[in-house]
């Protein structure tokens, strides 16, 4: 049985952190262009975490969240999962529509569509960076969105991955625009086979051309 | 009711308690199986994520609470260790929703209904009858089991509340 319960050493985590940062930089550029505004996408933390810690630490489980998931096809298979708290999703809509922050206060189709598009942009940009840095083939599918209790969303998406073990790969991000801040939770969920492809490519691909 | 009397049952976890404690969890495609021994006011809740462990997985190599086929027997054992008599157990199930519409070409699609089927089959094999259920649909549930009464309050996002 393939197993996700492996030890990922600091060095590999650092390499993934570098990839995440390069990708975030690319994504910031694209997203700023889309929102016609200077948006910086920061990578706060890159970590392996367990189902239990997520349940305990994220304090998301009883909050209403917007979540979008993108399927990955190619050398790496799995999903990207983006989660935004409802008030952060509302802020994002106001940024996109250039309205004063606080204007949006209803979870409607506009919010869903903005979350979808943001995830599409960030996800595509992230996968482009992975393709360039690791020299692999990777295609993200069109994302799907839902609005529900955080715990319900996470248990839904994580259940498939939990089959292989209790560890999940997690990147904590934030979007900054002058004084406004949006926190985003971004999970990369590779299948166990894909994770070994990714880690192998890290050894071959990123040496010497990190930036 | 004070927060300290509420026990949160995490994803792929299982807990047993008595009043004044309450058991709480949030369910998406997962299924919550609640067993109650009225005589002792002893309640147990397991948060099941998947129907069955991967083929060939050795028992002990995985967390039993994660899967229906291992989680339900584990919960029954735990209840019996606390003094419950199996024939007294009252069983209720919740969850198994389909959350992402259009999550196509992926086995996640049906995980909610697959979980429901596996839970119902496993309970039948164990000889337990389901007295109440609230399953399926497209929205998540927050559930709170009152161990004084054995009733579960279910809060559906966007749908409302009900008690089973």
């Amino acid at each position: 049985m393939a197993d996700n319960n492996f030890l990922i050493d600091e060095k590999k985590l650092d390499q993934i952190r570098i990839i995440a940062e390069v990708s975030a930089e690319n994504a910031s550029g694209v997203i700023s262009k889309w929102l016609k505004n200077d948006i910086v996408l920061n990578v706060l933390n890159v970590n392996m975490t367990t189902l239990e810690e997520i349940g305990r630490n994220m304090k998301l489980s009883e909050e209403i969240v917007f979540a979008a998931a993108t399927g990955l096809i190619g050398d790496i298979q799995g999903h990207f999962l983006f989660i935004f708290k409802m008030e952060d999703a509302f802020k994002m809509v106001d940024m996109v529509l250039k309205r004063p922050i606080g204007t949006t206060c209803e979870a409607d189709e506009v919010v869903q569509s903005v979350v979808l598009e943001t995830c599409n942009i960030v996800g595509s940009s992230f996968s482009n960076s992975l393709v360039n840095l690791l020299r692999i083939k990777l295609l993200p599918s069109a994302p799907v969105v839902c609005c529900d209790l955080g715990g319900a969303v996470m248990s839904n998406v994580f259940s498939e991955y939990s089959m292989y073990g209790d560890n999940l790969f997690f990147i904590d991000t934030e979007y900054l625009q002058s004084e406004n801040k949006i926190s985003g939770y971004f999970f990369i969920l590779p299948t166990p086979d894909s994770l070994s492809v990714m880690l192998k490519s890290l050894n071959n691909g990123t040496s010497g051309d990190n930036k | 009711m004070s927060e300290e009397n509420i026990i949160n049952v995490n994803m792929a976890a299982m807990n047993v308690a008595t009043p004044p404690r309450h058991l709480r969890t949030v369910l998406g495609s997962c299924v919550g199986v609640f067993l109650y021994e009225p005589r002792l006011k002893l309640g147990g809740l397991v948060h099941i994520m998947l129907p069955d462990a991967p083929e060939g997985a050795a028992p002990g190599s995985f967390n039993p609470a994660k899967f229906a086929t291992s989680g339900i027997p584990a919960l029954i054992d735990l209840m019996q260790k606390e003094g419950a008599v199996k024939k007294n157990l009252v069983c209720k199930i919740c969850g198994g929703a389909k959350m992402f519409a259009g999550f196509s070409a992926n086995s996640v699609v049906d995980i909610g209904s697959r979980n429901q089927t596996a839970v119902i089959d496993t309970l039948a094999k164990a000889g337990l009858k389901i007295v109440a259920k609230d399953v399926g649909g497209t929205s998540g549930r927050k559930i709170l089991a009152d161990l004084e009464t054995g009733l579960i309050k279910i809060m559906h996002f966007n749908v409302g509340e009900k008690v089973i």
Side-chain angles (χ1 to χ4, degrees):
Chain A
M1 184 182 78
D3 198 346
N4 246 4
N5 286 328
F6 53 87
L7 282 173
I8 185 164
D9 59 36
E10 272 304 309
K11 201 176 150 218
K12 289 221 162 83
L13 214 52
D14 270 343
Q15 289 177 319
I16 294 172
R17 193 171 291 130
I18 289 164
I19 292 184
E21 279 163 7
V22 172
S23 311
E25 214 174 291
N26 295 346
S28 306
V30 182
I31 212 165
S32 299
K33 227 181 260 173
W34 182 55
L35 302 182
K36 300 188 183 66
N37 218 326
D38 271 340
I39 308 256
V40 180
L41 177 56
N42 278 336
V43 173
L44 298 180
N45 206 356
V46 175
N47 235 325
M48 292 295 290
T49 186
T50 64
L51 282 174
E52 204 195 338
E53 274 175 45
I54 287 175
R56 207 176 36 226
N57 297 337
M58 280 184 57
K59 310 220 183 315
L60 273 181
S61 76
E62 297 190 22
E63 294 226 23
I64 303 297
V65 301
F66 277 88
T70 301
L72 303 175
I73 327 162
D75 293 334
I76 294 180
Q77 292 178 356
H79 284 98
F80 290 153
L81 173 70
F82 300 82
I83 297 181
F84 300 97
K85 287 184 187 168
M86 193 157 70
E87 65 260 27
D88 284 332
F90 290 167
K91 268 192 219 166
M92 197 149 68
V93 174
D94 289 331
M95 284 185 191
V96 174
L97 300 180
K98 295 188 178 306
R99 301 192 294 209
I101 301 294
T103 311
T104 304
C105 53
E106 210 179 319
D108 54 12
E109 281 90 3
V110 178
V111 184
Q112 294 211 343
S113 135
V114 166
V115 170
L116 262 187
E117 197 48 38
T118 305
C119 298
N120 206 1
I121 288 170
V122 178
S124 303
S125 155
F126 202 91
S127 59
N128 283 345
S129 304
L130 283 178
V131 167
N132 289 334
L133 290 168
L134 302 180
R135 302 195 182 91
I136 50 170
K137 287 197 192 91
L138 183 61
L139 270 179
S141 69
V144 288
V145 70
C146 85
C147 172
D148 211 310
L149 292 161
V153 172
M154 288 191 289
S155 70
N156 195 147
V157 177
F158 296 163
S159 56
E160 191 185 10
Y161 296 93
S162 74
M163 167 133 29
Y164 311 111
D166 287 331
N167 285 334
L168 290 170
F169 193 62
F170 170 47
I171 297 182
D172 200 0
T173 57
E174 65 177 10
Y175 302 74
L176 297 171
Q177 179 220 30
S178 53
E179 77 276 20
N180 297 313
K181 190 171 91 179
I182 294 177
S183 307
Y185 300 88
F186 175 25
F187 294 88
I188 303 174
L189 303 164
T191 59
D193 294 345
S194 309
L195 194 60
S196 52
V197 170
M198 199 164 136
L199 294 177
K200 219 179 281 162
S201 317
L202 276 175
N203 290 338
N204 309 332
T206 57
S207 48
D209 56 355
N210 282 340
K211 286 258 167 179
Chain B
M1 168 195 15
S2 63
E3 265 307 296
E4 68 199 49
N5 278 335
I6 294 179
I7 299 174
N8 268 313
V9 182
N10 271 328
M11 286 182 263
M14 147 172 99
N15 283 85
V16 171
T18 48
R21 295 265 160 78
H22 287 62
L23 293 167
R24 175 169 68 183
T25 196
V26 177
L27 300 161
S29 60
C30 298
V31 175
V33 177
F34 176 68
L35 297 179
Y36 188 63
E37 156 73 280
R39 197 172 49 93
L40 303 172
K41 296 192 172 170
L42 176 74
L45 182 64
V46 56
H47 185 140
I48 292 185
M49 296 188 87
L50 287 164
D52 202 357
E55 254 175 71
S61 70
F62 57 85
N63 167 10
K66 202 187 280 177
F67 306 102
T69 51
S70 52
I72 291 170
L75 183 62
I76 296 173
D77 276 355
L78 194 59
M79 299 279 292
Q80 283 175 332
K81 274 193 195 121
E82 297 288 324
V85 176
K86 197 171 163 191
K87 69 172 173 45
N88 291 348
L89 290 178
V90 171
C91 174
K92 297 180 181 182
I93 65 172
C94 313
K98 180 180 171 183
M99 313 262 311
F100 283 92
F103 209 79
S104 59
N106 193 303
S107 61
V108 165
V109 188
D110 250 357
I111 207 112
S113 60
R114 278 168 48 211
N115 279 340
Q116 284 176 45
T117 315
V119 162
I120 292 168
D121 287 353
T122 311
L123 284 169
K125 268 186 206 140
L128 291 179
K129 206 176 139 209
I130 299 166
V131 296
K133 61 178 177 178
D134 182 52
V135 292
T138 54
S139 71
R141 293 166 171 85
K142 183 158 86 176
I143 69 167
L144 183 69
D146 184 340
L147 302 182
E148 191 60 54
T149 58
L151 292 175
I152 307 180
K153 184 158 97 173
I154 302 163
M155 285 144 279
H156 264 275
F157 167 63
N158 260 351
V159 180
E161 283 188 18
K162 72 194 254 190
V163 174
I164 62 168

